[in-house]
Amino acid sequence: MLEPMTALGIAMKAVGWIASPIICDLFKKCSTYLSFDASEKLQQLGPKVLLLERVMEAFEQIPDKPRLERLFQDLKSAFYEAEDILDDVEYHCLEKKIQDCTLKSDSGALRHKRCWVKKLLPMGSPLKNKETGMQKKQLKDSLERIEKIINNAYKFVENLNLSTISNFNEAQADLANSRGVVTTSSPPTVVIGRDKDCDKIIEMLHEKEGEVQTNTNSRLCYSTIGIHGIGGSGKSTLAQLVCAREKKDMQEKRGGHFDLVMWVHVSQSFSVGDIFKEIFEAATGNQCPQLNNLNTLQVKVEEELHGKRFLLVLDDVWCSIKEERKRLELRQILFPMKAGEEGSKILVTSRTKDALLVLGATEPRCIPICDLDDNLFLNLLMNYALEGAIIDDHVRRRLEAVGADIAKKLKRSPLAARIVGGRLRRRPNAEFWTTVKNGKLVNETMGALWWSYLHLDQQARRCFSYCSIFPRRHPMYRTELVNLWVAEGFVRSTNEGEDIEDVCREYFDELVSTSFLQPGGGDLGRGDYYLVHDLLHDLAEMVAGSDCFRIENGCRESGFFREGKRKSWTGDVPRDVRHLFVQNYDGELITDKILELENLRTLIIYAIDHGTSVEEKIIECIFKRLPRLRVLAIALSKKFGSLIAEPAIFSAPESISQLKHLRYLAFRTGILCRIILPSTLSKLYHIQLLDFGQCQKLEFPSADLINLRHIFCLAGVKFCNVGRLISLQTLRDFIVTKEQGYEIKQLRDLNKLRGKLWIHGLGNVKSKDEALEANLAAKEWLTELTLCFDDGYAPCSPEVEAEILEALCPPMGLERLEIWYYNGLGCPNWIAGKHNGGPENLQEVEFSGWSQLGPAPELGAFPHLRLLTIWECEWSTLPDNIEQLTSLKRLVICQCLNIRCLPTLPQSINEFKLIDCNKEFMESCRTKGDPNWQKIEHIPLKKWHV
């Protein structure tokens, strides 16, 4: 008999993807090509699939489970096969249409590129045998196989006595393997029931060394205190609360006990070098230098800790007494701590007491995390369920009564309270809450997670289970996940005209709202990232089954940072895996274990070790041996030192054209590595995203990639006739030249562009009419725009240049605008405020290299401006109306040698920066009593750079 959690896992795997909309979408799409009535077929199959879903939810109680599991495995295999065949069909149809339209365009029958693209995008005509060869028959056979398996499974279920099967809700969850939440040092907005524990720990932290039982080595300047307990019990939250109080004391200058408070998340898989780097960055607030020697890194940390009384929080430490090597590495982390001042403390959180003892805590200093009492736990649940809800007192009292019963079933698990409470908050009515109360699924933490999972949208479930491909505690970024979900085809839009990325963003937000994804902090240059709690990661793994797999080959044989030989990964990869994550590039691993996975859809190789060369022959083998790939990412990591650095010039193999299913290609190089793209790249008609990292001067062979949505590289993209790509959303820079196919009119129909756009070479635009063809005002999704006139080309007359800038009026929603090297006569009306429309909500403006003499132009169109930067401009004064910019917070003036005096500045400014300007002017701004000094006297922060 299967164990309960085994049965639960099998059920999760099946329900995770055997969803009626997935099957229905497949049949509807195929019916378009095979000319059959999908509605009639779905009327037969739809109810059967729904029944099979419900049966899988009661899987634990079904006799002959192995047979039913085999049927579902067969169904999944057939489903994937049909998807691949359908994708082949769509590829060949698109290829034929592109070839036909190219011939017509060449003959002059098709005059406008927009018509050319629109003719390609619809995909709705029945197939003809001569167009597709064997694909039509293969697709039909595959659908018949799916239908047969569904019917067989349905017949099997019909023979069961379903009336005796209660519900999957009776499944019991096992908490033995619960894992701790991953966090930064910031506690949740509301922390309930931990004040006394916090006070107790702070009292220990503030005790003098003579008052406590010190470590075995009494000469150490620090002692260790530890918190231990099961995953999801609140250890990290308690440590966060302690950390926040100590930081607050420091910031408010109350004579804080510690000079330095640091937070480092250790995790199960760590390197000593990486932990030293994090300690250095936590101590200094700066990025750690790139050091290859562990001893040098240790000395750097010691220098920063020298003479300081510090508090170091080591969160989520994993260790067992039996793990001798890990014990040694943990103790190695403590080596630099000896440089601190007496009275320093280390606070550790861990699932096990063993880890605390290894790091020097004595038995009395190992504090078990306490369960909240019933009242406090109820308050915690109700905070998650009703925080911010606007309901009358009668409804609130009724919900609180039902909530008390629900709380009893969650066994005081803070994680379960967070997950279930988040779901309850979305439907604050007694009927729904009572349904939850009467169910039995919320008995234990995993049951609560499973219950919440089933309440996700079915497409959101598939997106969530995909997250199991990444290692535990892996930072996930919204844009990156959305692009991957789109490429994998996990999401279908139900509304015509709705952008698929917008649908995926909604699912991402749903996962955040329900705590399946949790805020993890911010990253320099990349924004906020999110984490999957370890218990939820377990759930995702169970749901994904063998579809997702990861190879974490990140550990080295020596303990030194960036030193030693990497250990060979010796495990086995499931043959039926579809999505594979590999921590580090390893040519031998790819050759021996990965190239045989012929059904692989995703291959993510996260990082490239410094000094490791990516061999062209290995990449060519991937292209030839893994033809079903939809996602191929080499060096997906954006960390310094993890990109492709060798060889210096990489020629992508011509065989890339064999990846007909490919949607997402990331081949991320460093700035010194150049990629040469083959002409066959133009055969990737399904491609949606191309990411080449910091590569520069990239030249694309053609504009046949009409499904392309995103192009990422550092600078210098050369893409002839890019205007055909009307689905394009990301194009960081566009260079206007005199060559055909690089005119500014190429931007006319790219109205889905988002984020940043830098337009170079505006000196090659010769008239106002030509500039108007860029149609910038229609690009409502742009947030940042740079207009650059001087790229080494001969400029046109000042009068014409003024007309050109007038014609380049940005969209209304723009947030940041930069204009470089403008030599025109006068300022456009959309800057002066004499033009309806324009970017009226602009937050930041930078003028650089303007050559006009006299006063700077008035900025009447930008009443909400918060940052004004003027760089190397010839103006003699700032804008006359600057005092009216009452939202302005920062003013930066750099290398403007003609400015001698300041006008009256708005009182809203809180930062004024003057860099390399006229010496007398700079001196007057620093001379007390001078008129210029009086104009900036009220500004709190003033900076000077000469």
Side-chain angles (χ1 to χ4, degrees):
M1 179 177 177
L2 289 173
E3 293 295 326
M5 286 306 293
T6 304
L8 174 61
I10 294 171
M12 287 179 176
K13 294 173 189 176
V15 180
W17 72 272
I18 303 290
S20 53
I22 296 174
I23 302 292
C24 291
D25 285 343
L26 178 65
F27 270 81
K28 286 177 181 177
K29 211 169 184 182
C30 293
S31 69
T32 304
Y33 296 101
L34 298 179
S35 303
F36 69 85
D37 187 351
S39 60
E40 180 181 348
K41 185 66 66 179
L42 291 174
Q43 282 179 354
Q44 302 170 13
L45 295 180
K48 296 178 181 179
V49 175
L50 287 172
L51 176 62
L52 295 178
E53 285 187 74
R54 288 195 294 270
V55 167
M56 290 309 295
E57 292 174 13
F59 185 84
E60 181 189 347
Q61 302 171 54
I62 294 175
D64 200 1
K65 299 178 185 66
R67 182 181 174 192
L68 188 58
E69 184 183 6
R70 285 195 301 272
L71 285 169
F72 275 104
Q73 289 295 334
D74 291 343
L75 180 56
K76 182 171 70 171
S77 177
F79 171 81
Y80 279 131
E81 179 184 285
E83 270 197 331
D84 287 339
I85 297 172
L86 177 60
D87 212 49
D88 277 331
V89 168
E90 291 181 334
Y91 176 89
H92 289 297
C93 287
L94 187 55
E95 180 180 45
K96 186 175 187 304
K97 289 181 178 180
I98 287 175
Q99 292 170 351
D100 290 347
C101 288
T102 300
L103 289 173
K104 291 180 181 178
S105 181
D106 291 342
S107 66
L110 201 58
R111 297 182 179 180
H112 298 292
K113 293 189 198 72
R114 182 158 64 175
C115 297
W116 183 87
V117 176
K118 285 185 175 180
K119 188 174 180 66
L120 293 175
L121 291 179
M123 300 284 293
S125 59
L127 294 177
K128 299 177 182 177
N129 289 324
K130 63 180 181 180
E131 291 178 343
T132 61
M134 286 295 295
Q135 273 108 10
K136 178 178 179 180
K137 183 179 186 305
Q138 290 173 334
L139 184 59
K140 183 178 178 182
D141 291 345
S142 184
L143 293 183
E144 289 176 351
R145 183 180 168 212
I146 291 175
E147 184 177 359
K148 181 179 178 180
I149 295 171
I150 292 175
N151 287 330
N152 288 342
Y154 181 72
K155 289 178 182 178
F156 171 76
V157 170
E158 272 189 321
N159 294 327
L160 299 175
N161 186 1
L162 293 179
S163 62
T164 65
I165 297 176
S166 56
N167 200 299
F168 175 71
N169 291 351
E170 296 181 2
Q172 299 295 309
D174 181 5
L175 288 178
N177 293 319
S178 297
R179 307 270 169 84
V181 66
V182 180
T183 61
T184 61
S185 61
S186 300
T189 307
V190 178
V191 179
I192 294 174
R194 296 300 181 193
D195 288 336
K196 289 183 179 180
D197 293 333
C198 181
D199 291 340
K200 177 181 177 181
I201 292 174
I202 287 178
E203 183 179 351
M204 291 181 178
L205 294 176
H206 289 188
E207 286 175 341
K208 295 180 180 178
E209 293 302 316
E211 299 174 356
V212 301
Q213 295 178 348
T214 58
N215 295 353
T216 305
N217 188 345
S218 58
R219 291 174 296 176
L220 291 176
C221 64
Y222 64 87
S223 58
T224 304
I225 299 168
I227 308 169
H228 62 95
I230 65 168
S233 57
K235 302 182 297 297
S236 295
T237 300
L238 176 55
Q240 288 171 330
L241 194 58
V242 170
C243 198
R245 285 198 190 177
E246 293 296 342
K247 283 185 175 180
K248 186 177 180 182
D249 284 348
M250 289 172 55
Q251 292 168 355
E252 295 181 356
K253 298 182 180 179
R254 295 178 179 174
H257 185 77
F258 296 103
D259 303 316
L260 194 59
V261 178
M262 301 168 288
W263 179 285
V264 174
H265 184 264
V266 179
S267 80
Q268 187 175 11
S269 177
F270 68 91
S271 76
V272 176
D274 286 341
I275 298 301
F276 280 174
K277 284 180 61 182
E278 291 197 41
I279 294 174
F280 179 93
E281 292 177 358
T284 64
N286 298 318
Q287 187 172 359
C288 183
Q290 293 298 318
L291 301 172
N292 295 328
N293 184 277
L294 186 65
N295 185 67
T296 305
L297 196 53
Q298 178 179 322
V299 171
K300 283 286 184 184
V301 174
E302 290 176 358
E303 290 173 356
E304 296 302 326
L305 300 183
H306 180 72
K308 297 176 183 176
R309 182 190 292 169
F310 62 81
L311 169 61
L312 171 63
V313 181
L314 297 175
D315 184 43
D316 194 20
V317 177
W318 290 61
C319 186
S320 165
I321 290 293
K322 299 179 181 179
E323 297 177 292
E324 179 62 25
R325 178 177 173 179
K326 185 166 287 188
R327 289 166 56 198
L328 294 174
E329 290 177 340
L330 281 175
R331 288 171 180 159
Q332 194 175 3
I333 291 174
L334 301 179
F335 288 173
M337 304 302 117
K338 63 181 183 292
E341 186 71 20
E342 184 175 349
S344 296
K345 295 291 191 299
I346 298 175
L347 180 62
V348 184
T349 72
S350 178
R351 287 181 63 214
T352 67
K353 187 187 292 186
D354 290 349
L356 311 184
L357 298 174
V358 167
L359 288 168
T362 58
E363 283 284 347
R365 298 324 230 196
C366 296
I367 304 167
I369 191 75
C370 298
D371 282 341
L372 299 175
D373 64 38
D374 289 340
N375 289 332
L376 287 174
F377 183 76
L378 175 58
N379 292 340
L380 181 66
L381 174 64
M382 298 310 291
N383 175 70
Y384 285 127
L386 293 179
E387 182 184 17
I390 303 175
I391 53 178
D392 62 49
D393 291 341
H394 171 72
V395 174
R396 182 177 292 272
R397 285 193 297 272
R398 188 175 177 192
L399 290 178
E400 287 174 347
V402 180
D405 292 331
I406 295 173
K408 293 175 183 177
K409 296 186 175 185
L410 298 182
K411 306 295 184 183
R412 300 183 181 179
S413 166
L415 175 63
R418 182 173 185 175
I419 297 296
V420 176
R423 178 60 61 182
L424 294 174
R425 182 171 59 191
R426 302 183 72 178
R427 294 177 65 182
N429 63 76
E431 181 180 358
F432 178 67
W433 285 35
T434 301
T435 302
V436 175
K437 181 194 74 170
N438 293 333
K440 296 180 181 179
L441 185 60
V442 294
N443 278 354
E444 306 286 356
T445 299
M446 188 57 76
L449 301 179
W450 173 238
W451 171 81
S452 294
Y453 170 80
L454 287 178
H455 281 75
L456 291 173
D457 181 277
Q458 286 166 325
Q459 295 189 115
R461 294 185 205 172
R462 204 173 181 193
C463 293
F464 168 69
S465 67
Y466 182 76
C467 295
S468 68
I469 193 178
F470 298 106
R472 297 179 187 277
R473 296 161 291 279
H474 182 83
M476 301 184 193
Y477 298 87
R478 189 173 190 252
T479 300
E480 189 171 271
L481 263 186
V482 164
N483 288 334
L484 285 169
W485 291 342
V486 171
E488 300 287 6
F490 292 156
V491 174
R492 301 278 193 271
S493 176
T494 56
N495 300 323
E496 187 176 352
E498 186 176 26
D499 195 274
I500 197 68
E501 274 93 348
D502 290 334
V503 180
C504 285
R505 291 183 190 102
E506 290 177 8
Y507 287 136
F508 183 94
D509 294 341
E510 180 182 355
L511 293 175
V512 172
S513 173
T514 53
S515 296
F516 280 84
L517 292 173
Q518 299 175 9
D523 210 348
L524 289 175
R526 297 191 64 190
D528 295 336
Y529 63 84
Y530 296 82
L531 302 165
V532 177
H533 185 285
D534 283 348
L535 275 174
L536 289 163
H537 201 280
D538 290 341
L539 174 68
E541 287 180 341
M542 295 176 76
V543 171
S546 61
D547 279 3
C548 295
F549 192 78
R550 61 184 180 275
I551 297 174
E552 298 185 56
N553 58 336
C555 297
R556 293 180 174 276
E557 291 181 353
S558 78
F560 291 93
F561 176 63
R562 289 279 185 193
E563 292 182 11
K565 182 181 178 181
R566 183 174 304 285
K567 295 186 298 183
S568 298
W569 189 82
T570 57
D572 293 321
V573 183
R575 293 297 300 238
D576 58 343
V577 65
R578 307 285 171 167
H579 310 290
L580 178 64
F581 175 98
V582 182
Q583 186 76 43
N584 283 279
Y585 177 87
D586 183 335
E588 185 178 346
L589 174 67
I590 294 172
T591 302
D592 293 346
K593 298 204 178 266
I594 297 177
L595 293 179
E596 62 186 20
L597 306 173
E598 59 184 20
N599 292 318
L600 201 62
R601 291 187 170 197
T602 303
L603 176 57
I604 296 175
I605 299 175
Y606 190 64
I608 312 295
D609 276 340
H610 179 70
T612 299
S613 178
V614 175
E615 308 101 313
E616 291 182 14
K617 63 179 182 179
I618 296 293
I619 301 303
E620 183 164 22
C621 286
I622 291 175
F623 293 167
K624 291 181 176 180
R625 299 275 297 277
L626 303 176
R628 291 182 172 85
L629 284 177
R630 282 161 166 74
V631 171
L632 174 59
I634 313 291
L636 188 63
S637 170
K638 292 178 172 58
K639 289 185 177 180
F640 180 84
S642 297
L643 302 179
I644 300 168
E646 299 178 24
I649 298 177
F650 184 92
S651 297
E654 297 277 339
S655 54
I656 194 173
S657 60
Q658 296 186 27
L659 300 181
K660 295 178 180 179
H661 302 281
L662 197 65
R663 267 83 170 166
Y664 185 116
L665 175 61
F667 195 84
R668 308 193 69 256
T669 74
I671 196 169
L672 299 179
C673 181
R674 186 185 171 203
I675 300 175
I676 299 176
L677 299 176
S679 60
T680 53
L681 182 78
S682 61
K683 295 292 185 181
L684 302 182
Y685 302 131
H686 282 312
I687 199 73
Q688 298 169 354
L689 181 145
L690 293 169
D691 184 355
F692 296 103
Q694 298 177 8
C695 184
Q696 301 186 83
K697 297 181 180 179
L698 201 61
E699 185 169 353
F700 287 82
S702 80
D704 287 343
L705 308 178
I706 64 165
N707 284 308
L708 189 61
R709 297 167 179 264
H710 307 281
I711 303 172
F712 296 101
C713 70
L714 188 61
V717 173
K718 193 171 183 182
F719 206 137
C720 186
N721 293 317
V722 73
R724 294 179 178 179
L725 311 183
I726 64 172
S727 296
L728 204 59
Q729 296 183 15
T730 304
L731 179 67
R732 294 293 173 84
D733 64 335
F734 176 77
I735 303 173
V736 182
T737 73
K738 297 176 181 179
E739 299 175 67
Q740 185 176 355
Y742 297 94
E743 311 91 339
I744 196 169
K745 67 181 179 180
Q746 294 292 329
L747 296 174
R748 179 182 58 206
D749 299 319
L750 304 185
N751 294 330
K752 293 184 179 182
L753 288 176
R754 295 172 178 258
K756 303 177 182 179
L757 174 62
W758 189 322
I759 305 176
H760 305 262
L762 289 173
N764 288 312
V765 180
K766 296 305 178 186
S767 69
K768 177 180 179 180
D769 290 340
E770 192 177 332
L772 283 171
E773 288 197 81
N775 196 20
L776 290 186
K779 293 160 184 40
E780 58 183 359
W781 297 104
L782 284 181
T783 56
E784 300 183 29
L785 176 65
T786 298
L787 302 174
C788 186
F789 280 83
D790 183 8
D791 271 307
Y793 302 108
C796 50
S797 69
E799 293 80 7
V800 173
E801 195 159 314
E803 292 180 352
I804 290 171
L805 186 57
E806 184 72 61
L808 295 175
C809 179
M812 292 184 64
L814 200 71
E815 298 174 4
R816 178 177 174 83
L817 173 67
E818 298 180 20
I819 304 177
W820 289 33
Y821 308 119
Y822 173 61
N823 300 302
L825 191 65
C827 182
N829 289 328
W830 54 264
I831 288 181
K834 303 174 183 178
H835 181 284
N836 291 329
E840 58 187 30
N841 294 314
L842 204 65
Q843 302 289 302
E844 301 179 7
V845 168
E846 178 177 328
F847 299 114
S848 181
W850 285 42
S851 63
Q852 301 85 353
L853 300 175
E858 293 192 3
L859 305 177
F862 311 141
H864 306 292
L865 197 65
R866 298 175 65 85
L867 168 62
L868 173 60
T869 301
I870 301 174
W871 194 288
E872 290 186 322
C873 292
E874 299 295 328
W875 301 322
S876 57
T877 63
L878 296 178
D880 291 337
N881 71 327
I882 193 171
E883 187 180 8
Q884 301 171 19
L885 301 178
T886 56
S887 295
L888 194 66
K889 299 296 182 183
R890 298 173 60 206
L891 175 61
V892 180
I893 307 173
C894 179
Q895 298 180 10
C896 296
L897 301 180
N898 292 335
I899 294 179
R900 298 288 196 277
C901 61
L902 293 172
T904 302
L905 299 177
Q907 294 296 308
S908 59
I909 295 181
N910 55 34
E911 181 180 345
F912 175 79
K913 186 181 291 187
L914 206 57
I915 305 171
D916 292 336
C917 291
N918 178 274
K919 291 183 179 180
E920 290 79 10
F921 171 56
M922 294 187 69
E923 186 63 31
S924 68
C925 290
R926 288 181 288 186
T927 303
K928 190 172 183 179
D930 190 276
N932 283 330
W933 178 85
Q934 293 174 352
K935 300 289 178 58
I936 61 174
E937 182 181 4
H938 67 282
I939 300 175
L941 182 60
K942 295 180 276 287
K943 297 181 180 179
W944 327 93
H945 298 279
V946 179

